mmCIF file of all heavy atoms in Angstrom:
data_model
loop_
_atom_site.group_PDB
_atom_site.id
_atom_site.type_symbol
_atom_site.label_atom_id
_atom_site.label_comp_id
_atom_site.label_asym_id
_atom_site.label_seq_id
_atom_site.Cartn_x
_atom_site.Cartn_y
_atom_site.Cartn_z
ATOM 1 N N ALA A 1 0.802 -1.229 -0.005
ATOM 2 C CA ALA A 1 0.022 -0.017 0.009
ATOM 3 C C ALA A 1 0.836 1.278 0.009
ATOM 4 O O ALA A 1 0.544 2.244 -0.692
ATOM 5 C CB ALA A 1 -0.944 -0.007 1.221
ATOM 6 N N SER A 2 1.941 1.311 0.753
ATOM 7 C CA SER A 2 2.743 2.510 0.807
ATOM 8 C C SER A 2 3.456 2.747 -0.553
ATOM 9 O O SER A 2 3.626 3.919 -0.979
ATOM 10 C CB SER A 2 3.801 2.433 1.950
ATOM 11 O OG SER A 2 4.671 1.348 1.732
ATOM 12 N N GLN A 3 3.865 1.717 -1.209
ATOM 13 C CA GLN A 3 4.463 1.861 -2.542
ATOM 14 C C GLN A 3 3.484 2.363 -3.535
ATOM 15 O O GLN A 3 3.764 3.211 -4.383
ATOM 16 C CB GLN A 3 5.068 0.518 -3.023
ATOM 17 C CG GLN A 3 6.268 0.093 -2.228
ATOM 18 C CD GLN A 3 6.706 -1.314 -2.602
ATOM 19 O OE1 GLN A 3 5.895 -2.183 -2.899
ATOM 20 N NE2 GLN A 3 8.030 -1.558 -2.516
ATOM 21 N N ALA A 4 2.259 1.861 -3.490
ATOM 22 C CA ALA A 4 1.188 2.355 -4.406
ATOM 23 C C ALA A 4 0.880 3.815 -4.153
ATOM 24 O O ALA A 4 0.697 4.577 -5.071
ATOM 25 C CB ALA A 4 -0.108 1.464 -4.232
ATOM 26 N N ALA A 5 0.783 4.185 -2.855
ATOM 27 C CA ALA A 5 0.472 5.584 -2.515
ATOM 28 C C ALA A 5 1.592 6.497 -2.997
ATOM 29 O O ALA A 5 1.346 7.573 -3.555
ATOM 30 C CB ALA A 5 0.276 5.716 -1.008
ATOM 31 N N GLY A 6 2.822 6.061 -2.827
ATOM 32 C CA GLY A 6 3.979 6.871 -3.307
ATOM 33 C C GLY A 6 3.963 7.050 -4.805
ATOM 34 O O GLY A 6 4.192 8.133 -5.305
ATOM 35 N N GLY A 7 3.665 5.976 -5.527
ATOM 36 C CA GLY A 7 3.545 6.066 -6.985
ATOM 37 C C GLY A 7 2.461 7.017 -7.463
ATOM 38 O O GLY A 7 2.643 7.796 -8.387
ATOM 39 N N LEU A 8 1.296 6.940 -6.797
ATOM 40 C CA LEU A 8 0.210 7.808 -7.161
ATOM 41 C C LEU A 8 0.509 9.276 -6.876
ATOM 42 O O LEU A 8 0.170 10.190 -7.621
ATOM 43 C CB LEU A 8 -1.134 7.419 -6.382
ATOM 44 C CG LEU A 8 -1.743 6.109 -6.938
ATOM 45 C CD1 LEU A 8 -2.876 5.718 -6.024
ATOM 46 C CD2 LEU A 8 -2.198 6.282 -8.361
ATOM 47 N N THR A 9 1.240 9.506 -5.743
ATOM 48 C CA THR A 9 1.650 10.886 -5.381
ATOM 49 C C THR A 9 2.592 11.425 -6.478
ATOM 50 O O THR A 9 2.424 12.575 -6.923
ATOM 51 C CB THR A 9 2.323 10.908 -4.037
ATOM 52 O OG1 THR A 9 1.377 10.399 -3.055
ATOM 53 C CG2 THR A 9 2.729 12.297 -3.653
ATOM 54 N N LEU A 10 3.575 10.643 -6.870
ATOM 55 C CA LEU A 10 4.495 11.121 -7.920
ATOM 56 C C LEU A 10 3.777 11.339 -9.229
ATOM 57 O O LEU A 10 4.087 12.346 -9.954
ATOM 58 C CB LEU A 10 5.616 10.026 -8.099
ATOM 59 C CG LEU A 10 6.629 9.944 -7.006
ATOM 60 C CD1 LEU A 10 7.587 8.794 -7.270
ATOM 61 C CD2 LEU A 10 7.410 11.241 -6.855
ATOM 62 N N LEU A 11 2.846 10.492 -9.577
ATOM 63 C CA LEU A 11 2.088 10.717 -10.772
ATOM 64 C C LEU A 11 1.257 11.996 -10.750
ATOM 65 O O LEU A 11 1.228 12.721 -11.728
ATOM 66 C CB LEU A 11 1.107 9.511 -11.017
ATOM 67 C CG LEU A 11 0.346 9.489 -12.301
ATOM 68 C CD1 LEU A 11 1.281 9.436 -13.529
ATOM 69 C CD2 LEU A 11 -0.565 8.273 -12.344
ATOM 70 N N ALA A 12 0.608 12.273 -9.602
ATOM 71 C CA ALA A 12 -0.135 13.514 -9.439
ATOM 72 C C ALA A 12 0.772 14.738 -9.525
ATOM 73 O O ALA A 12 0.439 15.760 -10.153
ATOM 74 C CB ALA A 12 -0.881 13.499 -8.083
ATOM 75 N N LEU A 13 1.935 14.671 -8.890
ATOM 76 C CA LEU A 13 2.891 15.806 -8.964
ATOM 77 C C LEU A 13 3.370 16.048 -10.410
ATOM 78 O O LEU A 13 3.468 17.181 -10.854
ATOM 79 C CB LEU A 13 4.080 15.571 -8.036
ATOM 80 C CG LEU A 13 3.799 15.671 -6.548
ATOM 81 C CD1 LEU A 13 4.988 15.182 -5.732
ATOM 82 C CD2 LEU A 13 3.417 17.119 -6.148
ATOM 83 N N ALA A 14 3.676 14.960 -11.103
ATOM 84 C CA ALA A 14 4.144 15.106 -12.487
ATOM 85 C C ALA A 14 3.014 15.710 -13.369
ATOM 86 O O ALA A 14 3.270 16.578 -14.225
ATOM 87 C CB ALA A 14 4.540 13.760 -13.068
ATOM 88 N N GLY A 15 1.733 15.291 -13.152
ATOM 89 C CA GLY A 15 0.646 15.825 -13.907
ATOM 90 C C GLY A 15 0.422 17.303 -13.618
ATOM 91 O O GLY A 15 0.207 18.119 -14.521
ATOM 92 N N GLY A 16 0.541 17.673 -12.343
ATOM 93 C CA GLY A 16 0.391 19.061 -11.944
ATOM 94 C C GLY A 16 1.510 19.953 -12.579
ATOM 95 O O GLY A 16 1.271 21.028 -13.042
ATOM 96 N N ALA A 17 2.727 19.433 -12.527
ATOM 97 C CA ALA A 17 3.861 20.189 -13.059
ATOM 98 C C ALA A 17 3.659 20.333 -14.607
ATOM 99 O O ALA A 17 3.933 21.443 -15.144
ATOM 100 C CB ALA A 17 5.157 19.471 -12.771
ATOM 101 N N ALA A 18 3.232 19.301 -15.296
ATOM 102 C CA ALA A 18 3.021 19.390 -16.748
ATOM 103 C C ALA A 18 1.943 20.396 -17.037
ATOM 104 O O ALA A 18 2.061 21.191 -17.991
ATOM 105 C CB ALA A 18 2.654 18.048 -17.320
ATOM 106 N N TYR A 19 0.883 20.433 -16.260
ATOM 107 C CA TYR A 19 -0.213 21.397 -16.467
ATOM 108 C C TYR A 19 0.287 22.844 -16.292
ATOM 109 O O TYR A 19 0.011 23.709 -17.133
ATOM 110 C CB TYR A 19 -1.357 21.108 -15.500
ATOM 111 C CG TYR A 19 -2.423 22.176 -15.519
ATOM 112 C CD1 TYR A 19 -3.387 22.222 -16.518
ATOM 113 C CD2 TYR A 19 -2.498 23.115 -14.518
ATOM 114 C CE1 TYR A 19 -4.341 23.219 -16.575
ATOM 115 C CE2 TYR A 19 -3.477 24.102 -14.511
ATOM 116 C CZ TYR A 19 -4.410 24.143 -15.583
ATOM 117 O OH TYR A 19 -5.330 25.109 -15.552
ATOM 118 N N LEU A 20 1.055 23.085 -15.223
ATOM 119 C CA LEU A 20 1.588 24.416 -14.935
ATOM 120 C C LEU A 20 2.561 24.882 -16.007
ATOM 121 O O LEU A 20 2.507 26.059 -16.457
ATOM 122 C CB LEU A 20 2.196 24.505 -13.568
ATOM 123 C CG LEU A 20 1.254 24.412 -12.376
ATOM 124 C CD1 LEU A 20 2.054 24.334 -11.074
ATOM 125 C CD2 LEU A 20 0.279 25.601 -12.388
ATOM 126 N N LEU A 21 3.424 23.957 -16.461
ATOM 127 C CA LEU A 21 4.357 24.328 -17.512
ATOM 128 C C LEU A 21 3.687 24.649 -18.799
ATOM 129 O O LEU A 21 4.034 25.617 -19.501
ATOM 130 C CB LEU A 21 5.377 23.193 -17.727
ATOM 131 C CG LEU A 21 6.470 23.067 -16.631
ATOM 132 C CD1 LEU A 21 7.336 21.821 -16.838
ATOM 133 C CD2 LEU A 21 7.367 24.266 -16.556
ATOM 134 N N ARG A 22 2.692 23.893 -19.165
ATOM 135 C CA ARG A 22 1.950 24.112 -20.411
ATOM 136 C C ARG A 22 1.179 25.415 -20.310
ATOM 137 O O ARG A 22 1.100 26.165 -21.255
ATOM 138 C CB ARG A 22 1.005 22.966 -20.674
ATOM 139 C CG ARG A 22 0.238 23.085 -21.927
ATOM 140 C CD ARG A 22 -0.400 21.737 -22.292
ATOM 141 N NE ARG A 22 -1.289 21.882 -23.405
ATOM 142 C CZ ARG A 22 -0.974 21.861 -24.712
ATOM 143 N NH1 ARG A 22 0.320 21.650 -25.014
ATOM 144 N NH2 ARG A 22 -1.858 21.989 -25.657
ATOM 145 N N ARG A 23 0.597 25.660 -19.140
ATOM 146 C CA ARG A 23 -0.163 26.943 -18.996
ATOM 147 C C ARG A 23 0.731 28.133 -19.071
ATOM 148 O O ARG A 23 0.381 29.159 -19.738
ATOM 149 C CB ARG A 23 -0.844 26.871 -17.591
ATOM 150 C CG ARG A 23 -1.842 27.933 -17.395
ATOM 151 C CD ARG A 23 -2.580 27.792 -16.084
ATOM 152 N NE ARG A 23 -2.545 29.070 -15.397
ATOM 153 C CZ ARG A 23 -2.660 29.261 -14.164
ATOM 154 N NH1 ARG A 23 -2.779 28.246 -13.340
ATOM 155 N NH2 ARG A 23 -2.661 30.442 -13.678
ATOM 156 N N ASN A 24 1.888 28.051 -18.475
ATOM 157 C CA ASN A 24 2.859 29.184 -18.548
ATOM 158 C C ASN A 24 3.356 29.392 -19.987
ATOM 159 O O ASN A 24 3.556 30.510 -20.367
ATOM 160 C CB ASN A 24 4.037 28.983 -17.593
ATOM 161 C CG ASN A 24 3.618 29.137 -16.139
ATOM 162 O OD1 ASN A 24 2.623 29.800 -15.861
ATOM 163 N ND2 ASN A 24 4.415 28.620 -15.242
ATOM 164 N N THR A 25 3.574 28.326 -20.706
ATOM 165 C CA THR A 25 4.052 28.431 -22.086
ATOM 166 C C THR A 25 2.977 29.061 -22.957
ATOM 167 O O THR A 25 3.264 29.899 -23.828
ATOM 168 C CB THR A 25 4.493 27.056 -22.609
ATOM 169 O OG1 THR A 25 5.420 26.482 -21.750
ATOM 170 C CG2 THR A 25 5.063 27.127 -23.982
ATOM 171 N N THR A 26 1.747 28.673 -22.744
ATOM 172 C CA THR A 26 0.618 29.171 -23.578
ATOM 173 C C THR A 26 0.411 30.655 -23.284
ATOM 174 O O THR A 26 0.053 31.474 -24.158
ATOM 175 C CB THR A 26 -0.665 28.410 -23.302
ATOM 176 O OG1 THR A 26 -0.355 26.990 -23.482
ATOM 177 C CG2 THR A 26 -1.810 28.766 -24.211
ATOM 178 N N ALA A 27 0.529 31.076 -22.034
ATOM 179 C CA ALA A 27 0.308 32.467 -21.660
ATOM 180 C C ALA A 27 1.314 33.393 -22.234
ATOM 181 O O ALA A 27 1.045 34.566 -22.534
ATOM 182 C CB ALA A 27 0.318 32.576 -20.152
ATOM 183 N N ARG A 28 2.574 32.961 -22.515
ATOM 184 C CA ARG A 28 3.585 33.782 -23.089
ATOM 185 C C ARG A 28 3.457 33.973 -24.569
ATOM 186 O O ARG A 28 3.960 34.915 -25.164
ATOM 187 C CB ARG A 28 4.934 33.158 -22.829
ATOM 188 C CG ARG A 28 5.367 33.213 -21.379
ATOM 189 C CD ARG A 28 6.771 32.664 -21.175
ATOM 190 N NE ARG A 28 7.017 32.407 -19.765
ATOM 191 C CZ ARG A 28 7.901 31.600 -19.308
ATOM 192 N NH1 ARG A 28 8.684 30.933 -20.125
ATOM 193 N NH2 ARG A 28 8.053 31.462 -18.032
ATOM 194 N N SER A 29 2.732 33.053 -25.247
ATOM 195 C CA SER A 29 2.658 33.153 -26.711
ATOM 196 C C SER A 29 1.717 34.232 -27.185
ATOM 197 O O SER A 29 0.894 34.762 -26.615
ATOM 198 C CB SER A 29 2.176 31.832 -27.270
ATOM 199 O OG SER A 29 3.088 30.820 -26.987
#
């Protein structure tokens, strides 16, 4: 269970970072 929770947390952080990077790139164009 702890390994699964850690993997889901990393996946959520990566998704959030990708969203913020894309949003910042779109706003500059």
Side-chain angles (χ1 to χ4, degrees):
S2 63
Q3 291 171 327
L8 288 174
T9 302
L10 288 174
L11 185 61
L13 288 172
Y19 172 77
L20 290 174
L21 287 173
R22 182 165 171 86
R23 189 174 133 203
N24 287 340
T25 306
T26 307
R28 290 185 194 158
S29 299

